Amino acid sequence: MAVETTTYTSLGPAADERDEEKLRFIDEMTANADAVQKKVLAEILSRNAETEYLQRYNLGGATDRATFKAKIPMVTYEDLQPEIQRIANGDRSPILSAYPISEFLTSSGTSAGERKLMPTIKEELDRRQLLYSLLTPVMNLYVRGLDKGKALYFYFVKSETRTPGGLLARPVLTSYYKSEHFKSRPYDPYNVITSPTPAILCADSFQSMYVQMLCGLLHRLQVLRVGAVFASGLLRAIRFLQLHWGELARDIAAGSLSPKITDPSVRDSVADVLKPNTELAEFIRAECSTGEWAGIVTRMWPNTKYLDVIVTGAMAQYIPTLEYYSGGLPMACTMYASSECYFGLNLRPMCKPSEVSYTIMPNMAYFEFLPLDLAAGGACQGEELVDLARVEVGKEYELVITTYAGLYRYRVGDILRVTSFHNAAPQFRFVRRKNVLLSIESDKTDEAELQKAVERASELLEPWNATVVEYTSHASTKSIPGHYVVYWELLVKESTGEGRMPSGEVMGRCCLAMEEALNSVYRQSRVADGSIGALEIRVVRGGTFEELMDYAISRGASINQYKVPRCVNFPPILDLLDSRVVSTHFSPTLPTWSPHRAT
């Protein structure tokens, strides 16, 4: 009779030999964090020594930290835009990287409101895959038996474009899902998902969601975990079920797929699993027809052990809604990544969302940290940056990275707080994105962009001799999908011209004008993805913002230093604003957006 043995690591007992290997790798990397970082920097500088960018700063082939810190400046995306534009336009010389740039990974947030284009190289896929491979061994320490069932994960691709020079430009997850790493992944009993790959890769968001939900329902008793990348994506899936359960039940009862699904590969992907099942169809109708959606996740998928979603940062606003729909299931935040770089993972994935800390893996890139007080000051040249192994518990820093793909001392814009160490590697709590006011999903709107949008929209008020005297905003997630709410206090100059309150039609046009002025990631989320609802303007009565100031002063704010907050989340303030609303208005149509621009 075979005897089952358990292998212990510093993280806990490994489920099997494969897990043991991965957990020991985490131990090795984190125990030697500083030495690994030194090696990573030397590798990056050595292989890219002949690039135009490093030659410009006269490194002279040096690979040591001291020379690097003395000669290479800290930069933002705007600083690198000339080099990135040359690569996008077709310049294949070694500008930033000695290795060919394989594609651009897109993210939001340039000062002009357009996408950032982050250069990447083919081997970065291997590095990302390595981090993915560490997630399951860590989760197996906390949740056993994941190899006995399936995962219902809602994964989606977004549109991709080509730059003038012919390079693909697309989000990092779209790049991963379309890679052979994902499409040709070997069978792994711990990572069997219900969604067919063709459904994930379908660019039509309705067809993709429909078939992924359908397959999730067909395998409902085998599902052990439910998730999406972001909390907002999972809530969109629940909303989809609320809207389309009738059609889904009809398909399941008949054993035939809706004619709305027109993609041949998507139809073929469910041919073998979709058989007539009147019992399941009746169950779905019985559960969904009542209109009672509390605990719907565990009612539909009763063996679910946890939700796998990111609920840190801006996604934390969705926690109460997820708790409502899931019946209080644990929420696992497993990893920390961005378009620029994959950073690390959560070694305690089943902790409370408020306690999530990520351990940065020192082999992924070279990491430095700008103390937050210096980051806010703006005068830092880079000498004050702190190495990964030398950050201090309790302090906050802005993350600065140097990557194999050719970013050097690049300011990511994430603010992190050091909570503890695992071995010699620090663990960080994600605090916020620098300068971001509003975010529903992958969109990021800062104060300057919101101000520009308000100014653009307020021009439509001029014929009515009305002006916006004050405003603030809120990312509302009470409905699905979430949407931006902007509170306006108007001044109508009665003594001149028309002098009357603008009509509802005009205010609707103001909503649309604001949306047209927001960045392309926001507009794509509205138009192509349906992940953000129509922007709403709530007009409040005169004097409301003075009441807001009085409230802040009553809580200790200085009257001399008080500034109207451009975004509010504190419930009493939201209650005050909402109690003063005299009219509400929404964008009447979708803003313009085209997938064909990548410059």
Side-chain angles (χ1 to χ4, degrees), residues 176-234:
Y176 176 66
Y177 298 147
K178 290 191 172 185
S179 74
E180 291 306 313
H181 285 74
F182 181 79
K183 293 191 295 182
S184 302
R185 62 196 184 279
Y187 173 77
D188 177 357
Y190 287 95
N191 285 295
V192 178
I193 59 176
T194 58
S195 297
T197 298
I200 293 171
L201 297 181
C202 179
D204 184 301
S205 59
F206 174 86
Q207 294 186 58
S208 176
M209 178 75 87
Y210 191 94
V211 170
Q212 291 192 61
M213 181 63 76
L214 179 73
C215 291
L217 293 170
L218 292 172
H219 296 100
R220 62 179 291 267
L221 297 180
Q222 296 168 272
V223 168
L224 300 181
R225 48 197 161 147
V226 175
V229 177
F230 294 111
S232 53
L234 183 53

Side-chain angles (χ1 to χ4, degrees), residues 474 478 485 487 536 538 540 544 571-582 584:
H474 174 64
K478 288 183 178 178
V485 175
Y487 295 90
E536 177 184 5
R538 297 179 185 174
V540 296
T544 296
I573 292 180
L574 288 170
D575 290 344
L576 189 156
L577 288 166
D578 286 332
S579 70
R580 305 300 189 269
V581 170
V582 294
T584 60

Side-chain angles (χ1 to χ4, degrees), residues 294-307:
I296 191 64
V297 172
T298 45
R299 285 156 49 200
M300 284 289 146
W301 299 281
N303 298 314
T304 306
K305 297 174 182 287
Y306 64 91
L307 304 181

Side-chain angles (χ1 to χ4, degrees), residues 253-264:
S256 61
L257 190 58
S258 166
K260 293 179 181 178
I261 310 306
T262 57
D263 186 308

